[in-house]
Every structure is written in C-alpha cells, then in structure tokens.
Amino acid sequence: MGRSGGEPIPTGRATDGTRPASFRVRFLQGEQVEGGVRTSILRSWQRCRSLGLSPDQNDLPFGEDFDPDGRLVHASVPVLDRLQATFAGSAMNISVADASGTVLLRRFGEMSLARSLPAIQSVPGFVFAEHVAGTNGIGLALAERQLIRVYGAEHFAERSQGSACRALPVRDPLSGRIEGVLCFGYPRSVEDPTLDLVIRRAAGAIERRLLGQSSARERALLRAYQDTAAEVAGRYRSVGVDELAFELHPRDQAIIMEKAAELISRAQRAAVDVPLSDGRHVTLVSRAMTTASGVEGIAIEAVLPAPLQSEPFTVPHHVDKPVGLPAEPAATSAALASGAVPGLVVPGHLSVTVSGQVTTVGEGVTTADADGTTSGHPDSPLPARGLVMVGEPHVGAYALAARRRLELLSEASARIGTSLDVRRTAEELAETAVPRLADFVTIDLPEPVLRGEESASARRDLRRTVVHGIRADCPFHPVGQQIDYGPTTPQSRCLTSREAVLEPDLRAAAGWLPQDPERTAQLLGHVHSLIAVPLVARGVVLGVVTFYRAQDPTPFGDDDRSLAQELATRAALSIDNARRYTRERNMVLALQRSLLPHGLPDQDAVEVAHRYLPAESDVGGDWYDVIPLSGTRIGLFVGDVVGHGMLSAATMGQLRTAARSFAELDFPPDEVLTHLDNLVGRLDREDPASDGTGTIGATCLYAVYDPTSQQCTMARAGHPPPALVHPDGHAWFPDLPAGPPLGLGGLPFEGAEIHLPEGSQLVLYTDGLIEDRHRDADVVLDQLRGVLAHQPERSPEDTCQAVLDTVAPAHPYDDVALLVARTHALDPGRIATWELAADPALVGEVRGSATRQLADWGLDEAVFAVELMLSELVTNAIRHGAGPIRVRLLHGRTLICEVSDTSNTAPHLRRAASTDEGGRGLFLVAQLAQSWGTRYTPEGKVIWAECGLDGP
C-alpha cells in the first residue's frame, strides 16, 4: 500500500475499478458509503452533490484571460520539458494549472495522444476547479491543499472513469501561497508507486525556479539602485553598510530593520525619523526603483545627520558591487523562504517598520525630504547615508507577515496557559488570535472536557465555550449552547481528519452552507473566510476552534492555516493540562468534602455556622469539626495539614478521625494535641518518602466549651489564635500559648481557660483566611477584628458571610476553613447538685432528693432509671473512690447523671459469673443509659450516664 494525502492507496498494477465504481453508484443513489471510500474522495463527492453537479457533464468553462506568459509558466516550462522527455513514448499527460484550476501548460509523453483526446484534456485554458469539474486531480489538490491521487471511479465525472492521476500544489517559496498545481494523468490500467517521488521533485524544481525569479528581480533592483546612487552622491557622505551597522546597538538594528521592511511592504515614498537608544536619530528614506526590464521595487536608505566633532564617523571604502550576493538562486532560498528578510538584504544593512511619514531629523542639523534631499545651513557637515534594503513590495509584505506570525507564536507561548482553568485557557487562545490572525474566534468543547474528564467522542455534546471577536454583534451561537455540526461542515471534517480545514470563500463552501441556512445567511453578512482546527493533545481530540475573517478583505491562506494549526496545538496542550488538573482537583475536592462533617450534631451548648473555601490553584488539608462531649459540653476543632493535593486531603481525614476519637475520650485540649502530635510523628516515620526530616506537618486548635460554667478551655499547636467577640460587640484575640506544630514532638502544649458570657462568639479559622502573599497578616487581623465588632443580634451565619466577603482573599492560594460558634448557657434551674460524704447511709437520701428534683422537672418517667443508676454510681464512688462525693443532674436535651470523687481509679465494665455476688452494677448502668463514661479532672474523676427523654 502507498499513501496519498495521509490515506492508504493501492499500488502496483491497477484493477478494473469494480470496487470504487460500486461505491460511486451507491453514493449517487443516496446510500451511505462511509468506510468504503477514502475520506478525501467522499468529502469531494459530498461537495459535488451539494453543488448540484452532474456526473454526466462533459463541458467545462474555458478561461481566455489566463496569462500564458506569467512567472508560473516561465518557471514550469523547463521542468515540463524534462518530464516530457522522461515519459517519452508513454501515455502520460502532464499539466500545470494556476491557483484557480485553469490549465496553463500541457505536455504528453506520446504526441499522438494530444490529437486523440478531447479538447478539455489537451488544450490550455480549461478550468478543472472542483466546483465546476467535480472530483479530479487538479481540483482536489487545490481543495485538500496536498498531494492527492484520484483513481478510476473515484472521479465524479463519467468522462474520467478510465483515468488515474496524481496532483500536487506548487507553492511560492517566499509566501507559502499556492501558485498552481502540477498534475500527472495516465490510464487507469497503469500504476507506478515511484510517481509520488517524481511529482514531488518536479514540483520542487518549479518552486526553486520561482524563487530564482524573485532573486534575479532583487539583484536587478540592487543594480538599478547603484546606477542611480551617483545622482545624490554630492549631497551625502557615503558610509559603507558594514560600518553603519557596526555603529549601532543590535537593538537599534532590529528596530531599523522592522521599519524598513514595513516601508517596502507598503511601497511608501517617505522619510521616517527613527530614534535610537543613545539619543541619536536615523532617517529612513524610501525610493522607488525600476529595473531595465520593468521590475518595480523600493530601496531603503539610512540617512544619519552630520556627526559632531567629538563623534566622528569612519568613512569606509566605496562598494562597487553588492557584498555577499549568492552565485546561485538556491543559495538565497533559505534566507528568503525563512521570512527573516523582506527582500535581498546586503549583510550589515538594517531594516524598519513605519506607520507614518515623519521628516524631522536629528537635533536641528538637517531635514530630509521624501526624495532624500536635505536642507540646512550651507556650512553644515554633510549627512552620511547607506543602503539598508531593496525589495519588491509584495515580497516585503510576505516577510513582514512571516515575522509577525513568529511574534504572534511567541506571544501565544506567554499568554496561553497562564491558569489551570479549561475555560480561561480557551479564552486566552481566542484573545491571542484576535485581531492579529482572525476577526472572530469560536471554541467548542465537549461537556466532559469542561468537567475535567475525557470525552468519548469529540463530536458529541459540544458546548459553545468561547465567542470572541472585534465586536459583539456577530450572530454566532451563544456561550453555553449545544453545537451539532453536520458531517460536511469544516468543523466536522477537521475533527475527522484531525487536520486544519481552510475555507477561503464561505459563499462557495458547499459543506458549510447547508448546515444552518438561516444562521449561515446572517453570518455571511459578517464573515467571508474561516479556518477550523481540531484541538488535539496527546492523541485525544478535545474540541474545535474556528477562526473567522471579516474586516480584513484578504481571505485566509495556507500560511494562516499553518499558524492557526500551531496556535491550536499549543493551546490544546494547555487545555489538556487544565483538564487533567481539573480532574485531579475535583477528585481531591470530592475527597476533602467527603472527609469534612456532613452535618452538625444536635446540641444546646453553641449555635454553629461554618464555611470551607478551597484554594483556586489546589486543594489543601484544612478541616473543622464539632463534637458533643459529656456534661452538655461541646468540642470545637479547626486544623490545617501542610501542603496540597491528595496526600494532604488523606492526611486530613486521618487527623480528623483521630482528633474525634481523642476528644470523645474526654481528654483535655492539651492532651488531645499531645496525642495528635504523636500520631503525626508516627505517620511521618511510616511514610516511605520521608527521610526523617518531617514531610508531614499540621496545625490545630481545640476548644472545649462548658455551658454549665460558661468556661472555655483552649489549646493550639502552631495554629492562628481564635477571635473572641463579647456580647457587647467587643472583639479581641486572646493571648493563647502558641505551641509547636503537630509532628515536631518533644514539646508540651499548654491550655488556657477563658470565661465566655452567654451570647459570646468564638471564631476559629485557618491561616488561609489571613495569610496572603499580597497582604500583611497584621493588617488582615485588624480588618478581621473590625468585621467581628458587631451588634449582638448578628447570627453566626451572618458572621461567616461577613468575614468571607470582607477578609477572605478574592483568589485564595490556600484553603480557608471558618467556624463560628455563639455560646449558650444552661439554665441554672436545670442543674441540681448535692455534696455528700463517703457514707453508704446517704445513698437513700440522694435517691430521694433526685426523685423530688425529677418531679419538679416533670420527668417522672425517668425516676426508676435514675434511682437505679445513682444508687450504683454513688455506691461505687463510696466503696472504691475517695470523698467528698458530688452528685449532679443536668436537664438538657437529655438527662445526665454525674457522680464525681477525688480518686483517679477508673471503673471497668465486666461480665459477672453466675456465682459472683457483685460486678453487675456498671452492666446495669450501661443497659439503662443511652451512653456512659468517665472523664478525669484535676481533682479526680467524673462517672456519668446519659438518659434519653421523650419530652423536654
């Protein structure tokens, strides 16, 4: 198999064409033939059908106004003559057509073949463009803009069924523009795979001759300049170009080169003043030049004002002939085709870009008119001049455009991909392309890509993601709308081929017109040319970007298509990076949110509101928790794991789980932090990536509030201090011992106890709220204090929102966790306390007192359980503890019985044997109570049991 235009084609001796013919017949009958015909042929057939062409049509338009003596003809004639000699005696038909498909030259391997063929196949002037001749070699090469092969029944027209052909576009080496097509035609029964190589070499020879013509014209312009240079020699001191360039800084040389190139490209007769970096000025003068053969061009001279005596210029040797002119045209091709120079530039010369006609020169020394003459004082020193560049305007325009394309690509590298957001990256592509490449840009991405996922099919569920242009009145589909492209549209074709598709004239674009006739008619009033480019990265199609031209009357060309392809390729990589990042971020964020509390527990100690704000760049390990504790107390956590990403989120989950477990064991805050510190150190030691320097770090703040005493005990491990707001609105930051971050080990944590009147607010937060690379932390803390100083009726929800609206950074680079708790106090009338000595005889009195208190509270249904639990707990305290003994009943959402003593001996629940006389007390307590436990105090311990209540 061989390849033509990227598609496999048969090689060797041709068959009878039965298989292509059968698919063609099925296509003409309206059947689906995808998969049986090469994509380029099928697309061409579809265009032919949409244009209403008939396969039986035999006549073709004849263009009498073609140029039989143009530059393409001059470049092609010697090449075609050699080809004719190569194929002498064969049935080969060799032709050259121009960019519109009009045949300019014909050659035949066997001269008798010309007499036997119809006129349209043997006489120059007939047009073989696809829109009039159907699928054929010349027309399809112009449509696909690459080497193609058409065989037998792949031709749309009946007249060509017995033929095969190969055709290849011929491009101008300077501009990259297609100048014409070289086509080999031969009988269907003949096939030679080496024809691909032959046609490529022949087309390359024609292109080199085109370049040679340009070089010869430039050399003629340079000779014409030298012939006329003597006319103004008396008004200037001659400065050799090497010395002129040596006098200037490289940055100044680049500026002058740009100005000169623009002067040539505009064919502008002017004198332009160019300021240099050292304060001097150079005047660039453009002069029209015409060679003896009639070639018209522009010469750009640099005119320097007369030097000061302290700044003498070296007067160089006279240059009789151009320095460094190539002996062969091919030697010039690399420099000219690269677009680095807009004409034939003498080494050491400079060149420039101009937007106006300025005639002021130097500091009052002289003024240069547009023709290069000067005026000034008669005794003034003569200014110096030197040739910068000569060239033809259209060549200069090509080079200037090439340089600007390189500048656009360089700018794109800096502008596209500045963020890891899929939509923003797409917007950056559009903003880069408008207006320097296109007037309008639309970008369509599948919905899964926007979510950070891979799309199963780039054609499905396309969403308009970006619409950007020079104005807002163009009737494109709005952002967010689902887009469905038909199979023949340029966008659909580019998604299939994964190559950019160029439609220079939308009014003749058969595949684009039927897509949406009403909207198409509206668009044609605004745009005239488009390029559709797939966004492909790492082998995955991510969407499609369409560039439209409207204001610029010049349609898109091949250079524009290459530039659009390069821009889309670079943007696609950035979009794919953003998509992958979005996917990873969504996964980490989902994990983070799943590890945070999903709801707040029912309790009466505090009224709580919370917020979690993930960082824009990455998700970290910030967390918070609210934990009900024994004795109607409440535990409040806020913490931050160092770093971002999946590891931080997973470590956060481990710390939160451990913190909850330690808190529910009723450890005081400083002991809870000590246990967490040991845990983080152990996790770090067990981490295989750790080298012992501590790769895992975290900070934490833990507060326990007791509504019965309105006391709050707090401790922190390297965490920012909380903010406290008094009921009267006064806000302050308590002097709480900082403590080391978790994981350092070996250092103690200190707690502090603060009285919080009912209605106070406790504000816990992570460092992402106050620390920002663009803000001073002390200033932010003052701002936070000002926001928190409020009226007492502000709710925790309102406080959370006010803090985020005022204090939180607009674009956080770190997570923010915020927890606001407004304190409540347990009504003293719902607290009953008795003090008693360690005397078993007092147990009955306690039961009686408790029974009366429950009756006062209206809890008669709880009397039996409470009496039994108090009997067991008080008896245990008398037998195994130490006096004095304190009994307390708390009536909140539940009924809590507490018995405390001064002993640190902990009771243990055990299963008593059938022969044991004791050991069943705590078992009975556990059966009657909703929950029970022990907590230690500085004075001893408290054994508590909680009973559920059916009523208040």
Side-chain angles (χ1 to χ4, degrees):
M1 300 289 284
R3 298 188 69 84
S4 178
E7 298 176 283
I9 59 173
T11 58
R13 185 174 179 82
T15 64
D16 59 2
T18 302
R19 187 169 180 270
S22 64
F23 282 106
R24 177 175 174 274
V25 171
R26 289 170 53 191
F27 174 81
L28 294 177
Q29 292 175 347
E31 299 181 21
Q32 297 293 326
V33 295
E34 285 84 353
V37 182
R38 287 187 290 134
T39 303
S40 60
I41 299 297
L42 180 58
R43 287 200 300 257
S44 180
W45 286 358
Q46 291 170 338
R47 292 192 294 266
C48 294
R49 182 167 61 185
S50 64
L51 290 169
L53 297 181
S54 171
D56 300 326
Q57 181 180 352
N58 287 320
D59 57 326
L60 292 177
F62 183 82
E64 297 184 356
D65 57 345
F66 71 93
D67 186 3
D69 197 36
R71 57 194 299 262
L72 179 61
V73 172
H74 279 281
S76 302
V77 165
V79 178
L80 262 63
D81 288 343
R82 291 197 298 272
L83 288 173
Q84 185 178 29
T86 301
F87 293 108
S90 70
M92 182 65 71
N93 175 2
I94 309 163
S95 58
V96 169
D98 63 17
S100 65
T102 303
V103 176
L104 304 178
L105 293 170
R106 290 280 195 184
R107 293 290 189 274
F108 300 93
E110 177 58 54
M111 294 305 300
S112 61
L113 185 62
R115 295 188 293 272
S116 63
L117 292 174
I120 61 173
Q121 295 184 13
S122 58
V123 179
F126 284 95
V127 180
F128 280 82
E130 184 186 68
H131 67 275
V132 294
T135 307
N136 71 91
I138 293 174
L140 190 55
L142 290 173
E144 296 290 327
R145 312 178 85 82
Q146 60 183 337
L147 173 63
I148 61 94
R149 173 185 178 273
V150 183
Y151 165 75
E154 290 181 334
H155 291 87
F156 189 76
E158 293 286 353
R159 64 176 177 271
S160 303
Q161 299 297 293
S163 302
C165 62
R166 275 178 169 80
L168 178 64
V170 176
R171 301 176 183 272
D172 186 310
L174 289 174
S175 66
R177 183 181 62 187
I178 292 179
E179 294 288 334
V181 177
L182 175 63
C183 181
F184 290 175
Y186 43 89
R188 190 180 67 185
S189 58
V190 178
E191 180 62 59
D192 187 347
T194 62
L195 288 178
D196 278 357
L197 179 60
V198 175
I199 197 171
R200 288 184 187 278
R201 289 180 173 176
I206 296 175
E207 291 171 351
R208 286 192 297 273
R209 290 184 59 81
L210 287 173
L211 180 63
Q213 290 180 18
S214 299
S215 301
R217 297 159 71 94
E218 299 291 352
R219 289 196 295 272
L221 283 173
L222 188 57
R223 285 193 294 270
Y225 169 81
Q226 290 178 325
D227 291 342
T228 60
E231 299 176 5
V232 293
R235 287 173 286 176
Y236 297 94
R237 294 181 300 104
S238 175
V239 175
V241 294
D242 295 335
E243 286 76 6
L244 180 62
F246 180 76
E247 289 288 334
L248 300 178
H249 189 278
R251 182 171 61 253
D252 293 332
Q253 296 183 33
I255 294 174
I256 293 179
M257 289 292 292
E258 179 72 15
K259 292 290 184 185
E262 188 169 339
L263 279 174
I264 291 178
S265 68
R266 295 187 178 189
Q268 196 172 12
R269 180 178 175 84
V272 178
D273 186 40
V274 182
L276 304 180
S277 59
D278 59 1
R280 293 183 299 168
H281 292 252
V282 169
T283 301
L284 296 179
V285 180
S286 64
R287 297 174 51 196
M289 306 298 302
T290 304
T291 67
S293 60
V295 176
E296 297 181 353
I298 301 292
I300 306 297
E301 295 175 312
V303 179
L304 281 77
L308 300 176
Q309 292 183 357
S310 58
E311 299 177 344
F313 269 100
T314 303
V315 180
H317 60 277
H318 178 69
V319 181
D320 294 325
K321 63 178 287 186
V323 181
L325 279 177
E328 297 293 336
T332 316
S333 62
L336 293 176
S338 67
V341 291
L344 189 63
V345 182
V346 179
H349 287 175
L350 319 163
S351 135
V352 225
T353 314
V354 219
S355 56
Q357 182 171 337
V358 183
T359 56
T360 304
V361 180
E363 300 175 356
V365 179
T366 184
T367 300
D369 298 326
D371 60 355
T373 62
T374 61
S375 59
H377 299 290
D379 297 333
S380 299
L382 292 177
R385 73 183 179 100
L387 177 65
V388 175
M389 180 185 297
V390 295
E392 294 181 83
H394 72 278
V395 176
Y398 294 151
L400 191 61
R403 184 155 49 246
R404 288 176 176 172
R405 284 193 293 271
L406 291 175
E407 292 172 355
L408 180 58
L409 289 175
S410 176
E411 180 181 336
S413 300
R415 291 188 60 179
I416 300 176
T418 60
S419 71
L420 287 172
D421 181 82
V422 173
R423 285 184 173 84
R424 181 57 196 146
T425 304
E427 291 170 356
E428 289 169 345
L429 167 60
E431 292 167 358
T432 302
V434 175
R436 297 170 65 178
L437 172 62
D439 297 318
F440 297 96
V441 173
T442 64
I443 300 177
D444 308 311
L445 302 177
E447 187 66 27
V449 172
L450 295 173
R451 296 195 303 264
E453 304 168 5
E454 288 191 7
S455 177
S457 174
R459 294 187 183 182
R460 297 178 184 173
D461 201 21
L462 280 174
R463 299 281 174 175
R464 178 56 49 86
T465 306
V466 174
V467 176
H468 183 69
I470 56 177
R471 57 182 186 272
D473 62 344
C474 205
F476 294 107
H477 291 289
V479 171
Q481 182 170 335
Q482 185 169 358
I483 307 296
D484 184 18
Y485 290 113
T488 62
T489 58
Q491 291 86 352
S492 183
R493 286 155 48 199
C494 82
L495 289 173
T496 301
S497 65
R498 298 194 175 191
E499 296 290 340
V501 173
L502 168 64
E503 290 288 0
D505 184 4
L506 289 180
R507 296 186 180 276
W512 184 71
L513 296 172
Q515 167 69 11
D516 186 345
E518 182 178 352
R519 187 174 296 273
T520 296
Q522 297 175 355
L523 281 174
L524 284 176
H526 296 78
V527 298
H528 60 78
S529 181
L530 74 77
I531 302 173
V533 190
L535 294 166
V536 183
R538 302 178 178 95
V540 177
V541 180
L542 303 174
V544 60
V545 53
T546 308
F547 303 88
Y548 295 90
R549 186 160 284 178
Q551 187 168 286
D552 188 345
T554 305
F556 284 122
D558 284 320
D559 282 348
D560 298 315
R561 181 175 66 167
S562 299
L563 177 59
Q565 180 85 57
E566 180 65 23
L567 283 176
T569 299
R570 297 187 182 194
L573 287 173
S574 297
I575 290 175
D576 191 48
N577 289 338
R579 178 191 66 81
R580 290 166 177 256
Y581 166 76
T582 301
R583 181 187 61 189
E584 296 297 328
R585 184 177 187 274
N586 289 342
M587 292 173 58
V588 175
L589 188 57
L591 174 63
Q592 172 86 338
R593 293 193 183 279
S594 70
L595 296 175
L596 290 173
H598 290 240
L600 297 178
D602 294 331
Q603 45 81 35
D604 294 324
V606 291
E607 179 186 351
V608 180
H610 56 87
R611 294 289 190 276
Y612 172 71
L613 185 65
E616 281 193 352
S617 59
D618 205 350
V619 179
D622 290 17
W623 60 282
Y624 59 88
D625 208 348
V626 179
I627 305 170
L629 302 175
S630 64
T632 68
R633 297 171 306 138
I634 194 74
L636 303 174
F637 271 109
V638 65
D640 183 6
V641 176
V642 176
H644 298 86
M646 190 73 73
L647 177 61
S648 295
T651 305
M652 178 274 289
Q654 292 176 292
L655 280 183
R656 177 176 172 251
T657 301
R660 174 174 282 270
S661 300
F662 296 142
E664 289 178 344
L665 290 174
D666 270 324
F667 292 138
D670 55 337
E671 291 189 27
V672 169
L673 295 184
T674 299
H675 287 295
L676 289 177
D677 180 60
N678 294 333
L679 173 65
V680 172
R682 184 167 63 254
L683 291 175
D684 193 65
R685 290 191 298 272
E686 294 173 354
D687 183 7
S690 175
D691 57 359
T693 59
T695 59
I696 299 175
T699 65
C700 182
L701 188 150
Y702 180 38
V704 176
Y705 173 71
D706 187 345
T708 64
S709 62
Q710 301 176 38
Q711 292 295 115
C712 182
T713 305
M714 294 178 283
R716 62 185 179 124
H719 202 82
L724 300 178
V725 185
H726 198 269
D728 63 4
H730 173 65
W732 82 102
F733 299 98
D735 187 13
L736 184 64
L742 299 177
L744 294 183
L747 297 176
F749 298 96
E750 297 182 49
E753 192 171 274
I754 299 174
H755 180 73
L756 294 179
E758 184 175 11
S760 299
Q761 288 197 358
L762 177 61
V763 181
L764 311 180
Y765 53 88
T766 56
D767 58 2
L769 178 68
I770 61 173
E771 293 182 4
D772 185 86
R773 64 191 68 181
H774 305 298
R775 305 187 298 173
D776 183 83
D778 292 335
V779 174
V780 178
L781 286 174
D782 289 339
Q783 189 179 11
L784 176 61
R785 182 187 295 109
V787 172
L788 294 176
H790 63 277
Q791 297 299 322
E793 61 271 12
R794 177 187 282 177
S795 68
E797 284 288 344
D798 294 337
T799 300
C800 274
Q801 197 58 48
V803 169
L804 290 185
D805 292 343
T806 309
V807 182
H811 303 284
Y813 75 95
D814 195 8
D815 291 16
V816 175
L818 178 65
L819 187 66
V820 178
R822 182 162 64 183
T823 63
H824 297 296
L826 187 61
D827 185 353
R830 288 177 172 253
I831 304 174
T833 305
W834 299 276
E835 300 279 349
L836 64 152
D839 185 356
L842 300 178
V843 175
E845 294 182 11
V846 171
R847 286 201 304 265
S849 299
T851 299
R852 289 189 294 273
Q853 183 64 62
L854 292 177
D856 292 341
W857 287 341
L859 301 178
D860 294 328
E861 72 279 0
V863 169
F864 173 77
V866 171
E867 283 185 338
L868 185 55
M869 286 190 295
L870 283 178
S871 295
E872 294 297 334
L873 295 179
V874 173
T875 301
N876 278 338
I878 293 172
R879 287 183 178 180
H880 307 291
I885 297 173
R886 185 186 187 199
V887 178
R888 187 170 70 160
L889 294 182
L890 303 175
H891 179 200
R893 288 177 178 267
T894 61
L895 182 63
I896 301 173
C897 304
E898 294 184 346
V899 177
S900 60
D901 61 61
T902 58
S903 170
N904 289 325
T905 303
H908 297 284
L909 179 66
R910 65 185 181 88
R911 182 178 296 275
S914 58
T915 58
D916 290 343
E917 295 183 0
R920 296 176 179 85
L922 286 181
F923 177 77
L924 291 175
V925 172
Q927 296 301 310
L928 293 172
Q930 191 171 271
S931 59
W932 75 279
T934 304
R935 71 172 180 270
Y936 293 92
T937 65
E939 296 80 18
K941 68 177 182 295
V942 177
I943 304 175
W944 57 271
E946 183 175 353
C947 298
L949 299 176
D950 295 333

